[in-house]
Amino acid sequence: MSSEIINIENKTKFLDLYKENINLIRNGSPDYINKIREKAILVFEKLGIPDKKNENYKYTDLKKEFENGFKTYLSPKNIKFDIKDIFSCDVPDLNTKVILLLNGWYYDRENPLQELPGGVIIGSFQKAMEIYPELVKKHFAKYADIEKDGLVALNTAFVKDGIFLYVPKGVVVEKPIQIINVLMDEEEGFTSHRNLYILEENSQASVVVCDHTLSATNFLTNSVAEFYIGPNAQFDYSRIQNEHNGSKQVSHLFFHQERDSRVTDSTISLHGGLIRNNVSAHLNGEGCENNTYGLYLTDKGQHIDNFVFIDHAKPNCVSSQLFKGVLDDFATGAFNGRILVRKDAQKTQAYQANNNILLTDDVDIKTRPQLEIYADDVKCSHGATVGQLDENALFYLRARGIPKKEAKLLLMYAFAFEVIQKIKVPALKERITDLVEKRLRGELSRCNSCQMHCCNP
Amino acid sequence: MLSIKNLHANIDGKEILKGINLEVKEGEVHAIMGPNGSGKSTLASVLAGRDLFTVTEGKVTYLGHDLLELSPEERASEGIFLGFQYPIEIPGVSMVNFMKTALNEQRKHKGLEPLSSSDFLKHMREKKELVELDTNLTNRSVNEGFSGGEKKKNEIFQMAMLEPKLAILDETDSGLDIDALRIVANGVNKLKTPKNASIVITHYQRLLDYIIPDYVHVLYDGKIIKSGGKELAFELEEKGYDWLKKGVAV
Ligand SMILES: Nc1ncnc2c1ncn2[C@@H]1O[C@H](COP(=O)(O)OP(=O)(O)O)[C@@H](O)[C@H]1O
Ligand SMILES: [Mg+2]
């Protein structure tokens, strides 16, 4: 495996990088992908990297991050490590094998695609483009709109590898599939994986994703995932973000839901220097249910920005957003929840809540609901709160003998619990309960059992 | 046990307690009565350590400690229990976890080992029976969705769990029907020993049919304007507070 390390700084650098390495980038990708790639780089040239003048990015300064001079590699770099030796983030009782991405590349190069019972396929997106062109062609770049966001265009222009999951019609994958995104290198790295999940009609699956940094170097990630959720299919997607302060990430999730499908997407942001999560769901058939949840525990100058867009295109769909956060010690954050109810989407129910607890007065959160409703028979609600811990509750606990520090933890945990409660996989719920408790106590350094302590300086 | 001398307290510069004097000895039951807004809950809160109120003058001694120096949790661990007039709902904190944490923190304060899970559950079962608390309530979040009566019973249940030396019950009887009242009073009486004491704040003489006080005090405009035996409660029930107010220059 060759390794290509290139310094990148800003838009021009990305464009030069593309031009100078066009063969390497195109190499191994089918023509239909390379065509989309070419279109995407033109769009990127036009849009560039969003700055704070961009209405959708006004609370997160990405320009600064992208100018930082990270390095990227256009083919997988050979980094050897034994997963078991350094790290076990595995949640007990989840699916047999842990799927690993290392710096955005599928780790197991020997077995890039696996078939699970029922014809389920999981593995490397790069390999899937080659082996399953019909499947990929049908869905790739169909839901992630390159015209709306320069970063999505950038990811598409450089598309190489990531996760591919295919669940055929009527198949139920009983145990959750666990995916770990590991960042590890001696050099500051820019990664941009691309993921495609296809759930055919009546199928069911759940996926757990952990984002981790395993070396103390700085990282910048710009990832895109597209999800096709067929008629009456059911999909649970849970993410745990646990990266160190030198790690910055922008993720873009695009859910495309057909009639009667159900999606629950939960993101638990435990740690990370800068996290920007874009989640968009297009409810493209009647009777869809979409639940988008988030919990963020942010401190020590970290930044969290959740940007949600729920597009009610058809009647009789229900969407719920619940985002809760605890901010401490110079943390900053934003929540933007946009709900679009199109003219035909009668009988829509769309709910949104964002609740924040600020532990110190040096923190800052911006919360912004955006409702655009063009149908007349709809039920929509939104509410945002920004406040401190309930003093009355705190006194009540202390008056029973519980020390102040412990009482605060109980209340913070209780606050977070509303989101944790929504996680459906019991083993994962337990694990997250534990991680959140440790995080709130300040005892968490990466995943529990990890030997490295890169987030504690 | 408790000695309050010339206690003054204010909130946002507004004086609410204007020189309270009270002596409570082991084994005694004191009732505090008085019209709304006279400062009864404020007195209870100040004794429990609520920092919303500022003590500007006076001294409170409890079992030889300067009470005002202690944090609320230290006061609780030293045996002071406040039964809240308005118990707080805490969604997401289960009753079991709440009581287990409270009990074990108090034990830690006394240098005792935490209770084992089975001992804790046994202790909880006994106390639940004592106050006839519905089993389901302890599986819920603290006070969440409890009826008014259930909240009050839950206060007595917590008191039973924590076995305080000095219980201050702030209108634990209000809003209770006669059956609930009997259960609550019964709970209080069963927990009475020659070593502990209670201060029962109430509006109604009817509670004092069940919990017989040794002393009755009338609090009015931040001061105790009259003290007497239990017969004072009957007199108040009959005549109201006006005959007492007349003697006070406001
Ligand atoms: N949190 C508060 N902020 C401002 N004033 C208060 C507060 N709590 C009590 N007070 C005032 O203190 C006075 C006494 O109230 P309280 O102690 O509750 O009386 P009681 O319990 O005897 O009815 C009242 O005038 C009330 O308005
Ligand atoms: Mg009161």
Side-chain angles (χ1 to χ4, degrees), chain B residues 11-12 14-17 33-45 52-53 85-86 170-171 201 203 219:
Chain B
I11 183 161
D12 303 330
K14 178 176 150 198
E15 183 159 67
I16 298 179
L17 301 184
M33 302 182 78
N36 282 329
S38 54
K40 303 183 297 295
S41 293
T42 303
L43 174 62
S45 295
L52 213 60
F53 303 95
Q85 182 176 1
Y86 304 108
D170 190 0
E171 300 212 27
I201 296 170
H203 252 276
L219 188 67

Side-chain angles (χ1 to χ4, degrees), chain A residues 61-265:
Chain A
D61 189 0
L62 290 178
K63 203 119 201 167
K64 199 175 72 196
E65 305 304 335
F66 278 80
E67 275 166 8
N68 249 347
F70 288 95
K71 288 163 183 176
T72 190
Y73 23 92
L74 302 167
S75 53
K77 197 177 171 188
N78 204 356
I79 298 172
K80 277 258 169 290
F81 71 90
D82 192 343
I83 308 170
K84 281 188 237 82
D85 277 358
I86 55 168
F87 153 100
S88 65
C89 166
D90 47 330
V91 178
D93 211 29
L94 296 193
N95 220 331
T96 44
K97 205 173 164 215
V98 168
I99 307 288
L100 196 68
L101 283 186
L102 176 61
N103 300 330
W105 298 86
Y106 197 77
Y107 183 67
D108 189 353
R109 307 305 291 178
E110 310 297 309
N111 303 295
L113 289 168
Q114 309 173 45
E115 195 166 326
L116 306 177
V120 174
I121 300 155
I122 176 114
S124 154
F125 178 66
Q126 189 177 29
K127 197 70 184 172
M129 292 192 284
E130 180 192 325
I131 308 285
Y132 304 105
E134 291 311 312
L135 274 179
V136 176
K137 205 185 237 169
K138 196 169 156 197
H139 299 287
F140 174 73
K142 292 288 190 297
Y143 318 121
D145 190 348
I146 55 172
E147 302 282 350
K148 295 223 168 79
D149 190 327
L151 291 174
V152 176
L154 179 67
N155 178 285
T156 308
F158 282 85
V159 58
K160 274 295 193 184
D161 205 0
I163 298 292
F164 175 77
L165 172 69
Y166 174 72
V167 187
K169 194 168 166 177
V171 173
V172 176
V173 184
E174 271 181 36
K175 286 192 169 180
I177 296 165
Q178 194 186 6
I179 295 163
I180 307 180
N181 283 321
V182 170
L183 295 175
M184 184 164 117
D185 203 346
E186 314 85 62
E187 314 199 55
E188 312 212 317
F190 173 73
T191 67
S192 82
H193 49 96
R194 178 71 177 227
N195 311 275
L196 180 60
Y197 295 79
I198 304 166
L199 274 86
E200 300 283 23
E201 185 165 354
N202 282 321
S203 67
Q204 292 179 36
S206 58
V207 167
V208 177
V209 182
C210 302
D211 295 337
H212 278 273
T213 35
L214 283 184
S215 60
T217 37
N218 293 341
F219 292 99
L220 176 61
T221 299
N222 176 44
S223 67
V224 172
E226 292 179 278
F227 304 84
Y228 168 82
I229 313 298
N232 206 40
Q234 186 177 320
F235 186 60
D236 289 338
Y237 186 76
S238 312
R239 273 194 292 183
I240 304 170
Q241 301 178 314
N242 191 14
E243 301 185 342
H244 63 57
N245 278 0
S247 166
K248 318 288 160 87
Q249 71 154 306
V250 187
S251 69
H252 313 259
L253 308 184
F254 294 91
F255 292 94
H256 177 91
Q257 290 186 238
E258 293 295 354
R259 65 149 183 91
D260 299 315
S261 62
R262 279 183 286 174
V263 166
T264 298
D265 158 49

